[in-house]
Amino acid sequence: MSAANGVRRVWVGQNGLLSTPAVSAVIRERVGVDGSKATGAFILTASHNPGGPHEDFGIKYNMENGGPAPEAITDKIFENTKTITEYLIAEDLPNIDISTIGVANFSGPEGQFDVEVFDSASDYVKLMKSIFDFELIRKLLSSSKFTFCYDALHGVAGAYAHRIFVEELGAQESSLLNCVPKEDFGGGHPDPNLTYAKELVARMGLGKSDSAVDPPEFGAAADGDADRNMILGKRFFVTPSDSVAIIAANAVNAIPYFSSGLKGVARSMPTSAALDVVAKNLNLKFFEVPTGWKFFGNLMDAGLCSICGEESFGTGSDHIREKDGIWAVLAWLSILAFKNKENLNGDKLVTVEDIVRQHWAIYGRHYYTRYDYENVDAGAAKDLMAYLVKLQSSLDEINSSLKGARSDVSNVVKADEFEYKDPVDGSVSKHQGIRFLFEDGSRLVFRLSGTGSEGATIRLYIEQYEKDSSKTGRDSQEALAPLVSIL
């Protein structure tokens, strides 16, 4: 189709394997053998807007900045689909061997047509080495006291894991789990969370049954297209909201790329306010945006944001215009390496849990959970959201009801339907979720997702802020119980 529609050159990752963050890096960084640069990319993956008869095939278009196409472009594409009466295919081109690196030249309908197959990892690895101190991380991974485990869940991250963690950083081959990419993800679900990354969770000592084997010091997982991540310590889970806040708090000291300072930080609205507290304490520009990575991209293109994240296990920086799971893992390894650079030969390493608890002691802890109510009647879901908006008109009434139910719940000081005006392009995104903000920094957030014929999903986010360092070690269920009970 490219050859038939006037495209003169196509780049393809070897074996058709490219992670979503690597695609962004390729668009931004790579120069072809003829000096050409990419003007955009099609990403074919189960991870993006699944389509097809089994909902396992999606198409995403990234722009020349390496980021997802904005709504103005996708809307225009959609409008064009309504008027298409034919499409062109060059049927006489031979099959291309995409397992072999090199350039194949053909005579296409519009003239010479080239297909360049390139090493999927080389550009990405080069970029990572320009961001992180690989030698310092290598020293950590070579320490007999430090153990490491990375689970690609049979997704595309496996194409990068061996190159980066084993070849470049010296990790043991046995550190890698499920790092052979498979079309069916080995029969599993490539979602990096405590539910689906079962093998890693068990190995890290967080499974239901106790293991006699001592867990590794650090563990991480990736999703199918390698843009999301999960960070674990020994018998310890790091929430995505805490993860981005901790990376931001330590980035200037631990990551060379940020040594001159952070331009700003940003999070999606439903993500906990842990990053807000870091931004305030470090006097950083801070942005709260709707869900969707394109909003971060606008800020980055304008030089306003260095590090960003979302509660659904996505973390990234301005090195590309996508969230980046391997980048997040390398960021954590950099922090661990920096914290331990003087004591690799000492008695005890600074652990993931130590870093998180030290962070809570300084910035407080945001206890956090999310409930998803799926396949709710679409009409009833809209009625609920309308009721919540109406309820917000009287804070006195809300607080009176709250105190009647739980005297230990703080007062609501602000309630609104989140609306975002992009400081870069001036666009306005309305109806992005309903927020109840409490005097002590806690929050309740309701978001409606999908209102098709099969029902809607209501997402409820519950967040309790605790700045008393003597109370930051409580169990999450205990800390969140008052807010949960008022619902």
Side-chain angles (χ1 to χ4, degrees):
M1 291 182 75
S2 295
N5 287 276
V7 176
R8 307 306 291 270
R9 176 176 288 254
V10 171
W11 292 349
V12 182
Q14 189 176 20
N15 296 310
L17 297 175
L18 274 173
S19 72
T20 292
V23 169
S24 185
V26 164
I27 297 171
R28 295 173 61 80
E29 306 283 339
R30 189 170 192 278
V31 178
V33 294
D34 63 345
S36 60
K37 287 184 68 72
T39 56
F42 290 98
I43 304 176
L44 312 179
T45 165
S47 185
H48 297 295
N49 303 318
H54 304 294
E55 294 191 344
D56 61 352
F57 186 82
I59 301 176
K60 175 182 175 182
Y61 185 70
N62 279 29
M63 303 289 283
E64 60 186 350
N65 72 338
E71 286 183 8
I73 298 298
T74 55
D75 287 348
K76 192 171 290 187
I77 292 171
F78 176 64
E79 288 303 315
N80 284 345
T81 65
K82 297 177 181 179
T83 62
I84 292 173
T85 57
E86 63 178 12
Y87 58 89
L88 306 177
I89 293 180
E91 295 183 324
D92 55 347
L93 289 180
N95 289 328
I96 313 297
D97 179 9
I98 60 172
S99 67
T100 302
I101 293 173
V103 181
N105 310 111
F106 306 99
S107 178
E110 300 283 333
Q112 181 171 311
F113 176 68
D114 300 333
V115 177
E116 183 176 338
V117 179
F118 63 94
D119 182 338
S120 299
S122 59
D123 295 289
Y124 182 77
V125 173
K126 181 181 177 183
L127 179 60
M128 292 300 104
K129 293 178 80 170
S130 74
I131 295 171
F132 301 103
D133 185 342
F134 268 43
E135 188 54 40
L136 186 62
I137 300 174
R138 176 182 275 274
K139 288 178 182 177
L140 175 70
L141 267 62
S142 65
S143 169
S144 60
K145 293 189 295 182
F146 186 82
T147 42
F148 165 82
C149 186
Y150 184 76
D151 189 347
L153 295 175
H154 289 302
V156 75
Y160 301 85
H162 189 276
R163 179 80 67 89
I164 292 175
F165 298 123
V166 176
E167 293 181 21
E168 295 286 348
L169 294 173
Q172 298 295 316
E173 190 87 41
S174 58
S175 301
L176 305 183
L177 283 176
N178 306 314
C179 281
V180 177
K182 295 183 178 181
E183 289 185 11
D184 65 349
F185 305 111
H189 186 62
D191 209 345
N193 58 40
L194 295 172
T195 300
Y196 292 111
K198 295 177 182 177
E199 188 174 352
L200 176 68
V201 167
R203 184 176 288 199
M204 295 303 297
L206 288 166
K208 293 181 179 178
S209 58
D210 291 331
S211 171
V213 180
D214 192 36
E217 291 294 330
F218 179 82
D223 71 331
D225 66 331
D227 62 354
R228 293 187 296 128
N229 72 95
M230 176 172 67
I231 302 296
L232 300 173
K234 181 185 291 187
R235 302 186 183 91
F236 192 83
F237 168 64
V238 183
T239 70
S241 298
D242 277 344
S243 181
V244 66
I246 290 166
I247 291 172
N250 291 278
V252 172
N253 290 327
I255 302 173
Y257 180 82
F258 300 114
S259 59
S260 61
L262 301 179
K263 300 165 188 172
V265 295
R267 63 165 174 82
S268 64
M269 185 274 286
T271 303
S272 96
L275 186 61
D276 311 34
V277 181
V278 171
K280 184 177 180 180
N281 282 29
L282 300 183
N283 196 28
L284 297 171
K285 288 190 184 76
F286 169 76
F287 301 91
E288 182 180 28
V289 307
T291 298
W293 210 260
K294 58 182 175 287
F295 297 104
F296 296 131
N298 263 9
L299 296 172
M300 291 173 179
D301 285 344
L304 296 173
C305 177
S306 296
I307 291 174
C308 57
E310 57 187 18
E311 53 83 26
S312 54
F313 295 84
T315 325
S317 90
D318 61 353
H319 67 290
I320 55 171
R321 295 297 180 268
E322 291 278 6
K323 46 188 172 279
D324 190 344
I326 289 178
W327 174 90
V329 173
L330 290 171
W332 266 93
L333 289 173
S334 296
I335 294 168
L336 284 161
F338 176 78
K339 298 279 189 183
N340 286 291
K341 64 181 180 180
E342 304 299 337
N343 67 333
L344 286 177
N345 298 317
D347 294 331
K348 186 180 182 298
L349 291 178
V350 176
T351 66
V352 170
E353 183 174 353
D354 291 336
I355 290 170
V356 175
R357 293 193 182 280
Q358 287 166 10
H359 183 89
W360 291 341
I362 297 169
Y363 299 101
R365 180 177 180 183
H366 292 257
Y367 292 96
Y368 184 85
T369 191
R370 179 179 113 183
Y371 293 97
D372 289 352
Y373 300 91
E374 298 177 328
N375 294 319
V376 177
D377 178 80
K382 289 179 179 178
D383 288 345
L384 171 63
M385 300 303 275
Y387 168 76
L388 291 171
V389 170
K390 184 179 179 181
L391 189 65
Q392 293 179 335
S393 62
S394 176
L395 294 187
D396 288 341
E397 195 173 314
I398 291 173
N399 288 321
S400 176
S401 297
L402 292 181
K403 291 302 180 185
R406 292 284 304 226
S407 60
D408 54 349
V409 171
S410 181
N411 280 333
V412 175
V413 292
K414 182 181 178 182
D416 64 9
E417 188 169 18
F418 183 61
E419 182 176 297
Y420 178 70
K421 183 175 182 180
D422 195 303
V424 180
D425 63 19
S427 63
V428 177
S429 301
K430 299 182 178 182
H431 310 300
Q432 295 296 311
I434 294 167
R435 305 185 301 176
F436 294 87
L437 311 180
F438 292 76
E439 190 173 20
D440 64 354
S442 302
R443 298 192 312 160
L444 291 177
V445 175
F446 298 81
R447 282 187 66 238
L448 186 59
S449 175
T451 54
S453 59
E454 293 187 11
T457 295
I458 298 172
R459 303 194 195 282
L460 166 61
Y461 307 84
I462 306 172
E463 176 180 351
Q464 174 69 51
Y465 179 54
E466 180 57 73
K467 59 184 177 181
D468 183 345
S469 59
S470 68
K471 297 180 180 178
T472 56
R474 288 189 294 168
D475 179 77
S476 290
Q477 285 187 320
E478 176 193 343
L480 291 167
L483 283 176
V484 171
S485 69
I486 64 173
L487 296 166

